[in-house]
Amino acid sequence: MRVAVVGATGAVGSTMLGVLRERTFPADEVVPFASERSAGRSIDWGDAKLTVQPLSDESIEGFDIALFSAGSGVSEEWAPRFAEAGAVVVDNSSQWRMHEDVPLVVSEVNPDALSDHKGIVANPNCTTMQTVVALGPILRKAGIERVVMSSYQAVSGTGQKAVNELAEQASAVVGGSELPQPSVYPHQIAFNVLPQVETFKDGDDYSTEERKCMRETRKILGRDDVGVSATCVRVPVFTGHSVSANVQTREALSPDECRELLAAAPGLTVLDDPGNALYPTALDAAGRDDVLVGRIRRDPSHDRCLNLWIVGDNLRKGAATNAVQVAELLHVRGLLRAAPAA
Ligand SMILES: NC(=O)c1ccc[n+]([C@@H]2O[C@H](COP(=O)([O-])OP(=O)(O)OC[C@H]3O[C@@H](n4cnc5c(N)ncnc54)[C@H](OP(=O)(O)O)[C@@H]3O)[C@@H](O)[C@H]2O)c1
């Protein structure tokens, strides 16, 4: 099997390369792609050295799977071209997520949606991804009427430049030197909290990230009747998004039942003994593939509402790991197409 990783030099792409190796994905060949700026660069991949390729009509021929994380513009242009050339594309950008012909898949929640793919499969945004891993079992057990989610999102969710911006600002503050001008975010992110993730478009008072969380959650759960309200916030954390979710179920579900349900669900680990300071933190989640859940408690204002604290590694389960899990499912379920010979 030939696998293309498009955006291989970026935060998500380099994590996808690592996850492919860790999970011993059955690839005969892995080819990294990035922009012209990086073409020719060598990437260490286990014992192998991979050479970064530029995208061209010739270089994209003969792949079975293409894992994309190079932004929406690249996905818009190149995902259909890879698909036409015979690959199934798993795309991390927001370009295709709400397209009606494109399944939006979280491996533990709606893997059966893959059978309808037409060459492109989308990965949801990282905040939605980790939240629905916890919501899926609750929906199946007790139904969900409404979810109010508030996120505390790490800077690596914006990519490598944002990681550098936080590091530079933090060392300037600690070292007492002049702060560099913010370039990725509209305000200083070090030692600050910004109630803006992505942009506010056309006078909308919800950010584009908040709109994605609301729409994508419903599409993955396959339920238009679930109400979702989102507030997305950027915090000065390198890796690991945290989400506070208030979940109103249709049937009664006690905190103990919810804890038991989530502890038995795939992809989730419950850490919930707050009296002994046991609850998930972003640092706990960083580097892990499972989503961590804690602080499961009754909302005192409503007898069918629970509050949950959900933490995940935005680069791993929030992007790279799910993309590779989707690729594994496509392979195991015989849903790849026969790629034309290179
Ligand atoms: N970071 C997250 O937590 C996260 C989670 C879910 C989804 N995503 C999505 O994943 C995508 C990538 O995010 P990221 O955080 O990895 O960004 P990033 O660190 O900025 O990496 C971007 C990658 O895209 C490549 N690229 C840029 N322009 C290109 C072009 N014209 N042709 C080919 N490759 C090009 C870059 O190559 P060069 O190095 O050559 O510039 C780099 O490999 C975005 O769509 C983002 O929304 C990110």
Side-chain angles (χ1 to χ4, degrees):
M1 200 173 357
R2 290 186 83 222
V3 179
V5 178
V6 181
T9 53
V12 174
S14 55
T15 308
M16 287 198 295
L17 284 173
V19 173
L20 283 169
R21 212 180 53 244
E22 287 165 23
R23 296 177 71 95
T24 54
F25 188 82
D28 300 307
E29 190 186 1
V30 173
V31 179
F33 289 87
S35 75
E36 296 281 353
R37 295 179 291 276
S38 309
R41 214 178 105 184
S42 180
I43 296 181
D44 288 327
W45 194 65
D47 295 336
K49 286 212 179 296
L50 309 178
T51 304
V52 175
Q53 305 294 321
L55 292 163
S56 72
D57 286 342
E58 298 71 42
S59 64
I60 68 167
E61 289 293 325
F63 287 97
D64 300 279
I65 295 185
L67 306 178
F68 266 64
S69 65
S72 294
V74 175
S75 292
E76 181 181 17
E77 181 179 354
W78 289 94
R81 292 167 80 164
F82 265 95
E84 270 161 38
V88 180
V89 172
V90 184
D91 183 31
N92 276 291
S93 82
S94 57
Q95 176 61 34
W96 301 101
R97 289 178 190 154
M98 295 310 296
H99 198 286
E100 61 177 23
D101 283 342
V102 174
L104 180 63
V105 178
V106 178
S107 63
E108 297 86 352
V109 182
N110 62 337
D112 294 344
L114 283 174
S115 53
D116 295 330
H117 85 76
K118 303 201 167 33
I120 301 176
V121 177
N123 239 12
N125 83 80
C126 30
T127 309
T128 302
M129 179 92 74
Q130 67 185 58
T131 306
V132 296
V133 174
L135 293 183
I138 296 175
L139 178 77
R140 284 190 287 276
K141 173 84 179 172
I144 295 178
E145 271 179 23
R146 182 167 181 259
V147 181
V148 180
M149 54 194 284
S150 304
S151 71
Y152 305 69
Q153 298 185 217
V155 296
S156 58
T158 319
Q160 196 52 49
K161 284 188 187 140
V163 172
N164 300 343
E165 180 153 301
L166 172 58
E168 284 160 16
Q169 288 179 0
S171 60
V173 172
V174 172
S177 57
E178 196 184 331
L179 237 74
Q181 198 60 29
S183 65
V184 176
Y185 298 119
H187 304 281
Q188 176 183 329
I189 181 64
F191 307 99
N192 206 0
V193 169
L194 310 181
Q196 173 176 359
V197 176
E198 297 197 341
T199 54
F200 293 91
K201 269 197 183 145
D202 306 327
D204 191 354
D205 50 6
Y206 281 85
S207 67
T208 48
E209 179 83 343
E210 289 162 348
R211 290 280 174 209
K212 286 183 213 169
C213 287
M214 297 190 271
R215 281 196 303 256
E216 292 177 23
T217 298
R218 279 192 287 265
K219 179 167 176 178
I220 298 159
L221 296 179
R223 297 298 297 259
D224 278 342
D225 59 347
V226 172
V228 187
S229 176
T231 301
C232 293
V233 176
R234 188 74 66 191
V235 294
V237 164
F238 283 117
T239 299
H241 289 355
S242 305
V243 173
S244 167
N246 179 266
V247 185
Q248 184 174 329
T249 54
R250 290 184 186 276
E251 311 295 328
L253 185 70
S254 71
D256 279 343
E257 287 169 326
C258 183
R259 230 170 261 123
E260 204 176 308
L261 176 72
L262 298 185
L268 281 171
T269 300
V270 174
L271 300 177
D272 200 9
D273 183 6
N276 287 309
L278 183 65
Y279 36 71
T281 71
L283 288 178
D284 297 327
R288 289 177 71 148
D289 285 321
D290 48 348
V291 171
L292 309 178
V293 187
R295 301 291 321 277
I296 300 170
R297 62 208 189 277
R298 166 80 54 227
D299 173 348
S301 71
H302 194 295
D303 62 5
R304 277 183 291 107
C305 271
L306 295 171
N307 283 310
L308 282 75
W309 180 248
I310 306 165
V311 187
D313 184 322
N314 51 295
L315 294 171
R316 293 182 74 94
K317 182 60 192 176
T321 302
N322 194 68
V324 175
Q325 287 170 320
V326 165
E328 288 168 352
L329 285 168
L330 289 165
H331 172 55
V332 169
R333 295 186 175 195
L335 294 169
L336 295 174
R337 300 119 138 238

